[in-house]
Amino acid sequence: MRTQVAIIGAGPAGLVLGQLLTNAGIESVIVELRSRDYVEARLRAGVLEQGTVELLRDNGIGRRLDQEGLRHDGIYLQWPGTREHLDFRDLCGRSVWIYGQTEVVKDLVAARLGTGQPLYFEVSDTAVHDIETDRPAVTFLDADGHAQRIECDLIAGCDGFHGVSRPAIPQASSRTAQRDYPYGWLGILAQAPPSTDELIYAWHPNGFAMHSMRSPSISRLYLQVGVEERLQDWDDDRIWTELSTRLGHAGWELATGPILDKGITPMRSFVSEPMRYGKLFLAGDAAHIVPPTGAKGLNLAVADAKLLADAIIASRAKRARTPIRTAGSVRAEPATLAGRGQNLLDSYAETALRRVWRCTHFSWWMTSMLHIEGSDPFARELQLAQLRYLSSSRAAAQSLAENYTGLPYGW
Ligand code: FAD
Ligand code: PHB
């Protein structure tokens, strides 16, 4: 088959890219390793930056988000004896929304299927070919085991950290920067009404803890655990006791309830450069991973998709002035990508990476400030000094607020 953009991966990056291209009249084919049920149920991020929300709304995917999403105008930072509220609207005039990645993906999949543009689930053996030529291609086996080949103008590698796109860039042309943290997050989803109106990020000598939520009846909570910890050593009682201890605050109580899901996620910072090689463009986790403390992973994937879509759309606009006739219809045919759009495509990697590194720094900074590493009193006092500074300096709080709620796409 032939299309303009072949998209590998139906996570947030691939689905948002597909939607933005479709809305601009650009054809794409999305191929996804997993089933629809699997991608729609994969429990991950929960915080949407204001820019992500506006982008989803502007592109016709905001209806359920507006009904069910919870607008949060700030967060609480906590350490023993203190719970401080940071008011984002006062600090930077912006907000974030609580709306699970599961819901974002459901909305995007429904929108994609509604457009009639191809989305293949349960593919295998995905491979990219001829990315250094003007005729790149993606091959795969469809769910019935039939060999398929997509000829395209360019390939968007949106297939996450374990995908096939990033390894297709020759090692001699790429470099990676990585930091593995000696801890991870044990996360639970619980049938319990949130015990807070906004998210609590808590520093505690036992380790970091966080209280998030998904709805007025579902809470999402996290505990810092060592990388060597095993889920079977954490029964429900132990989890609730430790959450109550670390999140504890005078006059406040944590509501508990049945645990619906639990898992341990390791924490890593990772950036792979370049994000473009020939006709292959990487977006989202395929190119970079951040630890979740800054709530940036999903938002960064959406930002990459937006920058890449803008570049592709601009390159097509140049061509669209000369419509050509195809079987029974008149449409603009972008035989090749050229002009100003080509410049935008050339600068995609640089523009995206500038923002990626900014978010990588913010995520590392939030993580380092809030997690316990070793027993060094010097390190702990520095963390507490930074937390007190955030609660007493408007300039410091503003910096956190503008990063947390999201920097502009072209930052
Ligand atoms: P993904 O969501 O990973 O999507 C990539 C897609 O490509 C997947 O659907 C995958 O199945 C598909 N794929 C892979 N290989 C192939 C192939 N060969 N062929 C076809 N398709 C392929 N972020 C936060 O902000 N907060 C959190 O709490 C949080 N928790 C997380 C927990 C876990 C376990 C993980 C892994 C990530 C978490 N993140 C979190 C990060 C956030 O979820 C990601 O940054 C976000 O999903 C990135 O979107 P993406 O589209 O780039 O990649
Ligand atoms: C979540 O709700 O899952 C969540 C919220 C904030 C974070 C990370 C995860 O920083």
Side-chain angles (χ1 to χ4, degrees), residues 1 32-33 120-126 139-149:
M1 68 192 101
E32 165 58 48
L33 181 67
Y120 289 83
F121 285 108
E122 298 183 70
V123 307
S124 50
D125 287 358
T126 316
T139 55
F140 64 98
L141 298 180
D142 65 23
D144 298 321
H146 297 132
Q148 303 279 358
R149 182 180 175 89

Side-chain angles (χ1 to χ4, degrees), residues 2-25:
R2 161 106 205 134
T3 192
Q4 291 171 273
V5 182
I7 301 174
I8 308 177
L15 289 166
V16 166
L17 177 62
Q19 186 72 18
L20 299 182
L21 295 179
T22 303
N23 288 352

Side-chain angles (χ1 to χ4, degrees), residues 50-354:
Q50 181 156 329
T52 301
V53 170
E54 285 164 3
L55 180 142
L56 293 173
R57 279 183 186 147
D58 292 349
N59 285 281
I61 317 152
R63 194 182 52 80
R64 216 161 57 88
L65 166 62
D66 282 330
Q67 285 166 1
E68 297 172 25
L70 308 170
R71 194 185 94 190
H72 281 195
D73 295 338
I75 55 166
Y76 295 96
L77 287 179
Q78 175 173 319
W79 57 98
T82 308
R83 182 177 287 174
E84 281 289 337
H85 186 248
L86 296 190
D87 182 337
F88 293 157
R89 287 194 83 76
D90 172 48
L91 290 164
C92 67
R94 293 167 76 75
S95 302
V96 293
W97 272 253
I98 304 300
Y99 191 63
Q101 183 167 334
T102 47
E103 308 314 300
V104 175
V105 168
K106 278 181 207 160
D107 295 346
L108 286 164
V109 167
R112 173 78 185 183
L113 298 178
T115 66
Q117 289 277 292
L119 165 50
Y120 289 83
F121 285 108
E122 298 183 70
V123 307
S124 50
D125 287 358
T126 316
V128 303
H129 307 274
D130 306 325
I131 54 178
E132 291 171 60
T133 75
D134 283 337
R135 295 188 64 82
V138 172
T139 55
F140 64 98
L141 298 180
D142 65 23
D144 298 321
H146 297 132
Q148 303 279 358
R149 182 180 175 89
I150 312 170
E151 310 260 340
C152 54
D153 295 334
L154 62 87
I155 300 170
C158 305
D159 47 354
F161 186 67
H162 300 289
V164 295
S165 299
R166 191 180 62 253
I169 299 178
Q171 268 191 356
S173 303
S174 72
R175 72 186 177 103
T176 58
Q178 180 160 342
R179 168 77 45 99
D180 290 311
Y181 301 88
Y183 40 75
W185 278 12
L186 188 163
I188 63 162
L189 191 72
Q191 184 86 49
S195 307
T196 178
D197 56 340
E198 292 182 338
L199 272 51
I200 305 170
Y201 288 79
W203 182 100
H204 190 278
N206 289 10
F208 170 74
M210 192 183 60
H211 191 332
S212 181
M213 61 196 74
R214 287 294 177 270
S215 75
S217 57
I218 302 283
S219 294
R220 178 96 169 117
L221 299 118
Y222 297 97
L223 286 170
Q224 174 188 348
V225 294
V227 271
E228 71 295 340
E229 298 258 9
R230 298 171 320 161
L231 205 51
Q232 59 263 40
D233 295 331
W234 285 87
D235 63 27
D236 293 6
D237 278 350
R238 183 177 176 206
I239 292 174
W240 284 119
T241 303
E242 197 56 30
L243 282 167
S244 297
T245 302
R246 297 190 196 179
L247 290 166
H249 188 61
W252 180 86
E253 215 171 305
L254 178 64
T256 62
I259 294 182
L260 308 172
D261 188 282
K262 59 179 162 181
I264 292 182
T265 312
M267 308 246 287
R268 171 187 295 142
S269 293
F270 172 87
V271 181
S272 171
E273 303 185 27
M275 284 176 66
R276 180 239 176 120
Y277 183 79
K279 293 291 160 100
L280 173 65
F281 295 76
L282 302 182
D285 278 16
H288 42 75
I289 300 281
V290 287
T293 328
K296 287 282 154 262
L298 162 63
N299 294 293
L300 212 42
V302 171
D304 286 354
K306 162 76 176 149
L307 291 172
L308 183 53
D310 282 352
I312 296 171
I313 292 164
S315 58
R316 181 178 186 271
K318 179 93 178 167
R319 283 267 155 183
R321 285 187 219 113
T322 50
I324 65 148
R325 191 168 293 278
T326 59
S329 68
V330 175
R331 67 183 178 103
E333 178 69 7
T336 58
L337 300 168
R340 178 179 158 266
Q342 186 61 53
N343 294 338
L344 271 184
L345 282 173
D346 287 340
S347 58
Y348 162 73
E350 196 187 325
T351 312
L353 272 168
R354 208 168 23 235

